[in-house]
Amino acid sequence: MYFIATHRELQFVLGRGGKIRVSENHSSFVPILTIDSLTAVRGYNLLFQGLNFKLQSGQFAALRGPNGTGKTTLLRMIAGFIEAETGTIEKVEEYRERGPFYLGHDHGLRASETPLSHLTDWADIHYSPRSDIPDILERVGLTLRQHVPAYSLSAGQKKRVALARALITPRLLWLLDEPASALDTAGQALLCELMKEHLDEGGAILAAIHDDLELTPDLVLDLGAFA
């Protein structure tokens, strides 16, 4: 069974295995995110103002800037968790209107739940098939740790569980806040593989990063220039 959703000139298809692909009948570069004249304030501090930015399908944008310039704030604004002071944010319409995939500093794991139970609940909440979970656990290297409670998982293993959520519930727009933190060399390689596959399938990524990844960004958004 295939589900088709449209947004302006964009058409994407969600098929078996949860893979997203942009229809070949449409342009390979379509708008995923458009930011216009955005301003953010924290308390009495101006973080950034007059921010304009556009992200298209297949593009990876690195979000950079010194600590305190609003990288996390911007990602949370785009995700819909907080409101901007001024300006507008237009995002692609996601399947079932669930919003983009957001990976923050908090992995969202309860201490007693296991990778398997967490991903099962995540699949049920987002109407995704449970049958994909074994393959996804294997993909992120957690098959042997799937029954281990979160309080016994390392920080890197918790990050792998969080990354697995992106495979459970495919979204066109990924918002990643320091996604490589806590990951070892193998984990960082896995992260870059997942990111590249997502881009090849027509998705887009905005990621706040301090250190360079093996995957070269197409765009760099430096928030320090908008302070």
Side-chain angles (χ1 to χ4, degrees):
M1 181 176 184
Y2 289 89
F3 304 93
I4 300 178
T6 60
H7 177 75
R8 296 179 182 175
E9 65 266 40
L10 172 66
Q11 182 181 69
F12 61 90
V13 179
L14 179 62
R16 290 187 180 87
K19 293 294 186 181
I20 287 179
R21 63 179 176 82
V22 176
S23 171
E24 295 177 356
N25 295 327
H26 291 70
S27 170
S28 58
F29 292 102
V30 292
I32 301 293
L33 172 67
T34 303
I35 296 173
D36 184 43
S37 302
L38 203 67
T39 298
V41 175
R42 181 188 298 146
Y44 295 101
N45 297 320
L46 176 67
L47 297 179
F48 54 80
Q49 61 181 338
L51 176 61
N52 298 294
F53 180 71
K54 180 176 288 188
L55 187 64
Q56 296 180 315
S57 62
Q59 288 185 325
F60 162 37
L63 181 59
R64 295 189 180 273
N67 292 336
T69 53
K71 296 186 296 296
T72 295
T73 297
L74 176 59
L75 292 175
R76 289 177 61 81
M77 281 182 177
I78 298 170
F81 300 146
I82 56 179
E83 294 185 0
E85 196 73 15
T86 63
T88 60
I89 299 172
E90 294 185 9
K91 296 171 291 188
V92 65
E93 180 182 334
E94 298 282 4
Y95 176 62
R96 289 188 181 270
E97 300 182 355
R98 287 289 183 173
F101 172 69
Y102 175 78
L103 177 65
H105 297 288
D106 185 352
H107 301 145
L109 289 168
R110 297 188 299 273
S112 61
E113 65 181 341
T114 67
L116 178 58
S117 66
H118 178 79
L119 295 179
T120 299
D121 289 344
W122 192 263
D124 290 347
I125 291 171
H126 294 278
Y127 306 99
S128 298
R130 290 186 177 187
S131 58
D132 293 336
I133 294 176
D135 289 340
I136 290 173
L137 283 167
E138 182 177 2
R139 181 69 197 279
V140 299
L142 291 175
T143 298
L144 297 180
R145 305 287 285 174
Q146 62 180 304
H147 299 297
V148 177
Y151 64 77
S152 293
L153 297 175
S154 69
Q157 289 167 341
K158 292 177 183 177
K159 176 62 72 69
R160 287 172 182 254
V161 176
L163 286 170
R165 294 200 295 259
L167 306 181
I168 293 287
T169 55
R171 297 291 182 264
L172 280 166
L173 177 59
W174 285 10
L175 305 172
L176 312 179
D177 198 350
E178 298 184 29
S181 65
L183 291 175
D184 56 16
T185 301
Q188 292 185 29
L190 170 65
L191 168 67
C192 290
E193 287 176 8
L194 296 177
M195 291 173 66
K196 186 177 185 305
E197 289 175 6
H198 181 62
L199 297 172
D200 289 343
E201 291 163 2
I205 300 172
L206 178 61
I209 57 175
H210 287 290
D211 299 320
D212 291 335
L213 300 174
E214 290 298 319
L215 187 63
T216 302
D218 302 290
L219 306 167
V220 175
L221 175 57
D222 187 349
L223 286 187
F226 296 91

